[in-house]
Amino acid sequence: MASSLTTFTDEAKIALDTLSGRATGLFSPSLRLGVTGLSRAGKTVFISAFVHNLIHGGRLPLFSAQKSGRIARAFLEEQPDDAVPRFQYEDHVAALVNDRLWPDSTRAISELRLTIEYESASAWSRMFSSGRLSVDIVDYPGEWLLDLPLLGKSYVDFSREAFEMAVLPVRADLSQEWRSLSAAVDQNADADEMTARRLAESFAAYLKACKLDERALSTLPPGRFLMPGDLEGSPALTFAPLPGLSERRARSGSLQAMMERRYEAYKTYVVKPFFREHITRLDRQIVVIDALQALNAGPGAMADLERAVTEILACFRPGRSNFLTDFFSRRIDRILVAATKADHLHHESHDRLQAIVRRLADRAVARANFTGADVDVVALAAVRATSEGTVKQGRETLPVIIGTPLKGEKINGETFDGRTETAIFPGDLPEKIDAVFDVSGPDHRQNPGHRQSNEDPAIRFVRFRPPKLERTAEGVTLSLPHIRLDRALQFLIGDHLA
Ligand SMILES: Nc1nc2c(ncn2[C@@H]2O[C@H](COP(=O)(O)OP(=O)(O)OP(=O)(O)O)[C@@H](O)[C@H]2O)c(=O)[nH]1
Ligand SMILES: [Mg+2]
């Protein structure tokens, strides 16, 4: 009796929660905005700048609610999900503004609720809208998203594809050690924990090596091998693909059977809950990419970035798999693909960068056969670390960018101390964008993996410290400078404040 009573109250409570959730939703609408991208792409900096500019009334001429003075205030509120870590906004902003340091890498999911009080532009909407919008911002690793395709793949498929990717010229040398280790094991031998661990560690080391700066390759699944979160060392993360598997059922008790079971556990306990609890509840999505890094590494890295964006977009395609159709409770209607760090280029190149991202996103949309949401692109800098100027060199006047390179950064043999401002000529992006995608071009054929360090990259890429913020006479720091962040805001939330 007692237990059925609990069941009843639990159920009633869930029903009530849902009802009251709906009711509050009516009076104070909320919008769930997903922010994703591969590691180091710029998610944390983007969210910090997004929130900071709204709270502090930053200069946002392309964000119409702000421009027309209709935003009364924006402030942080308690987030709706108790079990998700909070996005540590205050820490990130303190690092950026006070210490002029970039925030630490975050590597897991986090959430923040920003509430905006505004006045609608039309008298009609003013009568019906609450004048409040809560934006729930969810920051999560793109690596985790790239796991979705695993749901439709058996362990044998996963293994075969992993080996196919590993022997491609861009990865062959990096995967060498793992492949030889795999070749030496017998998948039919008795399952052995140490063998499983050695293979898993070697496989993870190969996946990590692909991400190193000079390769700049995008990620291969399983995403948690790179971003384990709290699952590090669990059996669901201790498996690896095996070579040359047939479709025949693995012998029970064999190494293959063990690996297969763990692969299935990874899907059940890691991939599915993540999608159900987080991805299917999103309304809008921004995918942050580091296109400059890929451009610098050459067409192979660009092709790889395009593959990752294609797979990411495919995850948001409604009705993709039975699993997702069952769970999508909301529908994502807008997706923004944003190339950040545009402040590494002179403004003359910003439109070119945007054109490159447009091409990449268009191809990804076509390849993912994606419909159902508006996809837009932007080249932006969430935090602008540089200013612009010109330098005379002989008769020529060169456009330069001026900033404080991070301690230890090097240009032409000079190493910076993290305090000295310097002007650098960043280089131009090519006018004809075909070349940057052309994996059959001479640039790529000579060197399919990556540029040699002695080759001149497209852009001279130095990492700068965050900017020094101006203070007013009253000692108030002004908002964080940016490039086209307002355009991103307008696309992502502008229509909800109209
Ligand atoms: N100049 C400049 N650098 C940026 C900008 N955004 C990000 N960066 C650089 O990119 C690095 C990574 O940015 P994060 O925002 O931490 O990236 P993330 O996607 O959150 O990375 P993880 O938390 O590791 O997944 C920063 O440490 C900066 O060096 C920007 O707008 N301008
Ligand atoms: Mg982060």
Side-chain angles (χ1 to χ4, degrees), residues 43-44 105-106 139:
K43 302 176 288 292
T44 305
S105 181
T106 40
D139 173 355

Side-chain angles (χ1 to χ4, degrees), residues 39-45 102 105-107 341 343-344 381-383:
S39 68
R40 311 318 286 146
K43 302 176 288 292
T44 305
V45 172
W102 297 106
S105 181
T106 40
R107 340 226 111 204
K341 315 185 192 179
D343 56 329
H344 285 101
V383 172

Side-chain angles (χ1 to χ4, degrees), residues 36-47 102-108 139 141 143 227 288 290 340-344 380-386 406 462-465:
T36 199
L38 301 174
S39 68
R40 311 318 286 146
K43 302 176 288 292
T44 305
V45 172
F46 174 81
I47 298 171
W102 297 106
D104 288 336
S105 181
T106 40
R107 340 226 111 204
D139 173 355
E143 285 79 2
M227 305 265 153
V288 180
D290 193 339
T340 48
K341 315 185 192 179
D343 56 329
H344 285 101
L380 60 80
V383 172
R384 178 178 194 161
T386 62
L406 287 178
V462 207
R463 295 193 309 142
F464 294 99
R465 283 184 73 179

Side-chain angles (χ1 to χ4, degrees), residues 117 171-172 293 471 493 495:
E117 284 175 2
R171 293 197 182 77
Q293 198 191 26
R471 281 175 203 267
I493 62 171
D495 58 325

Side-chain angles (χ1 to χ4, degrees), residues 111-389:
E111 179 180 284
L112 189 70
R113 168 169 281 200
L114 175 74
T115 297
I116 303 170
E117 284 175 2
Y118 67 100
E119 188 170 304
S120 281
S122 80
W124 180 256
S125 319
R126 274 200 296 279
M127 266 169 51
F128 293 103
S129 90
S130 62
R132 260 172 93 100
L133 176 72
S134 291
V135 186
D136 292 319
I137 306 173
V138 185
D139 173 355
Y140 65 93
E143 285 79 2
W144 295 5
L145 205 52
L146 292 177
D147 277 345
L148 180 68
L150 295 185
L151 293 179
K153 279 176 205 161
S154 69
Y155 174 69
V156 175
D157 296 339
F158 160 71
S159 291
R160 193 186 51 248
E161 284 175 22
F163 279 95
E164 279 166 10
M165 293 293 246
V167 294
L168 290 181
V170 276
R171 293 197 182 77
D173 56 335
L174 302 176
S175 62
Q176 177 69 48
E177 209 175 299
W178 163 63
R179 282 185 293 123
S180 31
L181 197 65
S182 308
V185 302
D186 173 8
Q187 71 259 26
N188 293 316
D190 284 349
D192 169 53
E193 188 60 50
M194 282 304 130
T195 311
R197 209 174 93 187
R198 262 202 320 279
L199 285 172
E201 281 170 0
S202 175
F203 180 54
Y206 145 61
L207 295 182
K208 282 186 189 130
C210 295
K211 291 287 300 172
L212 291 180
D213 271 359
E214 63 280 12
R215 286 302 171 95
L217 291 172
S218 301
T219 308
L220 295 174
R224 299 286 162 124
F225 278 50
L226 289 154
M227 305 265 153
D230 50 6
L231 286 163
E232 193 142 28
S234 63
L237 254 61
T238 313
F239 66 91
L242 286 170
L245 300 182
S246 69
E247 295 292 340
R248 250 203 346 265
R249 231 181 113 82
R251 176 179 72 81
S252 125
S254 65
L255 182 67
Q256 181 183 343
M258 178 196 214
M259 294 287 201
E260 195 158 345
R261 194 178 58 248
R262 291 178 174 193
Y263 169 78
E264 292 302 330
Y266 181 80
K267 291 183 356 190
T268 309
Y269 299 115
V270 178
V271 187
K272 279 193 186 179
F274 171 67
F275 272 83
R276 194 170 47 230
E277 284 155 31
H278 302 294
I279 305 304
T280 56
R281 293 165 62 207
L282 297 174
D283 299 303
R284 299 259 157 109
Q285 177 67 51
I286 172 169
V287 181
V288 180
I289 58 173
D290 193 339
L292 289 178
Q293 198 191 26
L295 275 167
N296 247 10
M302 282 301 282
D304 209 61
L305 178 62
E306 186 178 310
R307 182 186 57 78
V309 173
T310 306
E311 284 188 16
I312 288 176
L313 287 181
C315 293
F316 301 122
R317 188 175 61 198
R320 180 171 200 270
S321 68
N322 291 333
F323 168 71
L324 268 196
T325 341
D326 290 349
F327 284 109
F328 258 114
S329 58
R330 306 205 190 185
R331 199 192 184 101
I332 293 179
D333 61 347
R334 289 190 180 186
I335 301 176
L336 184 64
V337 180
T340 48
K341 315 185 192 179
D343 56 329
H344 285 101
L345 297 170
H346 196 264
H347 73 265
E348 285 165 1
S349 285
H350 292 167
D351 285 339
R352 286 187 192 169
L353 178 60
Q354 197 159 301
I356 289 169
V357 182
R358 163 102 41 211
R359 167 81 64 94
L360 191 142
D362 283 350
R363 286 165 44 141
V365 164
R367 278 175 44 186
N369 202 357
F370 184 82
T371 50
D374 285 344
V375 180
D376 201 2
V377 301
V378 64
L380 60 80
V383 172
R384 178 178 194 161
T386 62
S387 58
E388 293 187 350

